[in-house]
Amino acid sequence: MSNSVNVANENGVAVVIIDNPPVNALSFHVREPLHAALAALRDDATVRAIVIVCAGRTFVAGADITEFSKPVQQPELRAIVALLETIAKPMVAAIHGTALGGGLELALGCHFRVADAGAKLGLPEVKLGLLPGGGGTVRLPRLVGAAKALGMIVSGTPISAGEAKAAGLVDAVFDGDLIAQAVRFAGEAAAKGGSFAPVRERRDRVAETDLAAFDRQAAELARKARGLEAPLACAEAVRNAITLPFDEALAAERALFVKLVAGDQSRAQRHLFFAEREAAKIQGKDVTRRKIARVGIIGAGTMGGGIAMAFANGGFPVTLLETGEEALQRGLAMIEKNYAVSVGRGSLTEEARQQRLGLFKGSTDYADLADCDLVIEAVFEDMAVKKVVFGKLDAVARPGAILATNTSYLDVDEIAASTSRPQDVLGMHFFSPANVMKLLEIVRADRTAPDALATVAELARRIGKVPVVVGVCHGFVGNRMLSARGAENEFLLLEGATPGQVDKAFTDFGWPMGPFQMGDLAGLDIGWRNRKARGQTAVIADTLCEQGRFGQKTGRGWYRYESGSREPVPDPEVEELIRAKAAEPGIARREIGADEIIERTLYPLVNEGARILEEGIAVRASDIDVVWANGYGFPIGKGGPMFWAGLEGAAKIVERLEHWHRRTGRAIFEPAPVLRRFAETGSWQVP
Ligand code: 3H9
């Protein structure tokens, strides 16, 4: 046997053990010996039954994603599943950890599936811009019904072993020694005898499908796909499982898979998959992690409360500190309310709510932070205020505790320098709502110790966040680039576009919403206040605010909102205001197309990203993609701004930036040296 596949024999029940760390992906060096082992066991008369299990922390977590960019090597997964279907003796997949993608498809080739109580099962290919390509779209509906399969395959979200049992996907759920129980299960099936039908022959669940209801469900999912091809292909393939004979549906699934895997969208999503994992690694630093058992949060406002919830959700005890009892109680009440809403929505059990609330300890005394291993400050965005907080923290925190600021813009070096322990200070920039948004910018200050950085990066993954390490500059990676993206917004309006046209260019590109709709949602008064503080102005936005038009919360902003609705309605008053503001300096308004809108907003975004790379604020171009895909809604099918720059053509971007630079003279369009080099060499490498 190979190192990756081993076979043991337990009284006539063969146990095939796949061993390919870390996640038992079905790489070529697994598929080849697996195919050979199964063929041999099929023909071995001494073997009564076969159990497929995995060594290590999980069942097969899918095909090997790194192989998708290379030529296919035989035997493919499909050939292995086809071989399984020629085996008459009972076959059992024994699942622990996660059976995902090709892993679940392998299990679907078996007669039976048994699972550890903590296991999860799913077909997450859609998240990689793909559909299951090993028969999953055709076999899963035969076990769980087409509607359930559609939901699982289009969302890509795994289900628990319990849910899988209830749905008919697994035959038994076990606690304790999974292999021993799977062997017993297989032995009993063999002893019972009779014939064992492969999943392909089970038609009753798909035959009962209400096709009209299925099509309605698929249409609703298609509406939410926002330009992504994979969810539509998933729905088409599951529909084929209902309407076509098995082999035809299987062939159609293959054709869709082949098309998607070669396409830009899947390449982009695979890029993000690896980029997210890469971003969590602290380069060249093989350091031990500090122990984090209790987390302190200073400030129980929206941000502090959200951060506290994120840690409690990850199982950490939290000390929440406020200046006074009233503010503390208000913050705790908000947290209770948020959890109650989750229970009402069915996304949290009452038991989990109680357990999470039990992790909170409120305080108004800094001394109570003394037993915290990490303290995150989330107070008012003002340097003087932050320094006072860090001074008090410095006095009480235990030696070695990590002290973090949640600032969005301020200089973390300056904050660190105000303490006696700058090596323990860093930024943890959460995004609002902090208990929901996945991105975490970890700000590395000049003197931050590598082990503090590595500890926080690992911790972030443990609470379900996607961490990216960034350097100190105004706005770090995300907000700094956001300013660049928005720099031309008002010029576009003054020169002839409407807010609706700009927003439509964005949503057509794949963004969830455009900048003006976003401004109305966030509240225009926030930007107005920030501009005033920095002595800046915005010709149109300032006037809107002076008129009390703060966006959705006042029913009027860049758009009008009918009573309580979130649906933006174009407002002739705003268009009149734009025309008047354009007339003042004598700007002749003209038709502005979607291409121009993209060039003047997203090319500066890429350009600023290039500057950020040049300055070393981000270590890798892919880190910037992770920031934008997880924190700002950059369409995942385009892989983030830096990946997209490659698809768009860096040479074209440079040429158009130069064009706009000549035309406007504005620095935002001056191509960054790294971008020029990328155009010449095809690589973001910073010398
Ligand atoms: C598929 O199956 C297609 C088929 O339908 C058809 C085929 C014809 N391949 O996430 P982690 C690496 S598509 C290669 O940090 P965790 C990962 O890059 C696939 N590598 O661990 C990382 O490497 P490194 C469908 C993979 O415990 C290391 O493993 N399946 C793969 O937080 C650890 O990963 C999926 O989409 C892979 N399939 O989470 C599942 N998976 O250490 C994708 C992981 O060098 N995987 N790696 O950075 C996951 O969702 C998570 O990895 C998992 C573990 C939940 C399994």
Side-chain angles (χ1 to χ4, degrees), residues 215-295:
D215 284 342
R216 279 196 300 278
Q217 187 190 353
E220 179 58 21
L221 294 169
R223 205 177 54 77
K224 292 186 190 148
R226 269 210 320 262
L228 290 176
E229 294 154 9
L232 308 185
C234 289
E236 185 183 333
V238 179
R239 192 177 199 280
N240 290 340
I242 309 165
T243 58
L244 297 181
F246 186 89
D247 285 321
E248 279 179 41
L250 197 63
E253 176 198 90
R254 184 65 193 168
L256 287 167
F257 182 86
V258 167
K259 186 160 165 260
L260 288 180
V261 82
D264 282 343
Q265 289 192 355
S266 175
R267 281 207 304 128
Q269 287 178 255
R270 272 142 48 202
H271 159 76
L272 285 172
F273 176 86
F274 289 113
E276 280 177 18
R277 281 151 184 84
E278 205 55 33
K281 293 176 188 153
I282 308 299
Q283 276 192 334
K285 303 282 193 298
D286 192 12
V287 289
T288 46
R289 311 288 190 264
R290 300 187 193 183
K291 189 171 161 284
I292 306 290
R294 173 172 281 278
V295 179

Side-chain angles (χ1 to χ4, degrees), residues 474-491:
H474 186 76
F476 315 121
V477 169
N479 283 345
R480 174 168 156 186
M481 287 174 70
L482 185 64
S483 299
R485 192 192 77 173
E488 286 291 294
N489 284 352
E490 289 219 342
F491 290 118

Side-chain angles (χ1 to χ4, degrees), residues 85-246:
E85 287 183 335
T86 66
I87 300 179
K89 39 197 145 197
M91 282 175 302
V92 179
I95 296 166
H96 76 293
T98 45
L100 299 177
L104 183 55
E105 291 175 305
L106 179 72
L108 286 168
C110 297
H111 302 114
F112 304 102
R113 285 143 297 283
V114 300
D116 174 71
K120 291 212 155 102
L121 302 89
L123 293 172
E125 286 86 342
V126 71
K127 295 182 180 167
L128 298 167
L130 297 170
L131 80 165
T137 64
V138 196
R139 289 192 182 86
L140 185 64
R142 282 174 160 69
L143 290 185
V144 304
K148 175 90 180 163
L150 181 68
M152 282 177 70
I153 294 172
V154 173
S155 73
T157 309
I159 59 174
S160 67
E163 191 178 343
K165 171 83 170 60
L169 176 54
V170 303
D171 302 280
V173 177
F174 295 132
D175 275 316
D177 188 339
L178 177 66
I179 298 184
Q181 295 181 87
V183 166
R184 187 169 344 109
F185 185 98
E188 283 169 8
K192 235 184 258 159
S195 62
F196 304 98
V199 172
R200 67 151 62 213
E201 283 171 19
R202 294 168 57 173
R203 256 210 74 80
D204 49 333
R205 291 300 305 267
V206 282
E208 74 197 18
T209 311
D210 173 346
L211 199 56
F214 178 90
D215 284 342
R216 279 196 300 278
Q217 187 190 353
E220 179 58 21
L221 294 169
R223 205 177 54 77
K224 292 186 190 148
R226 269 210 320 262
L228 290 176
E229 294 154 9
L232 308 185
C234 289
E236 185 183 333
V238 179
R239 192 177 199 280
N240 290 340
I242 309 165
T243 58
L244 297 181
F246 186 89

Side-chain angles (χ1 to χ4, degrees), residues 10 12 48 94 119 143 174 268 280-281 352 365 375 403 453 589 627 645:
E10 303 264 349
R48 298 181 292 135
L143 290 185
F174 295 132
K281 293 176 188 153
D365 183 357
V375 183
L403 312 184
L453 209 58
R589 299 185 85 238
V627 166

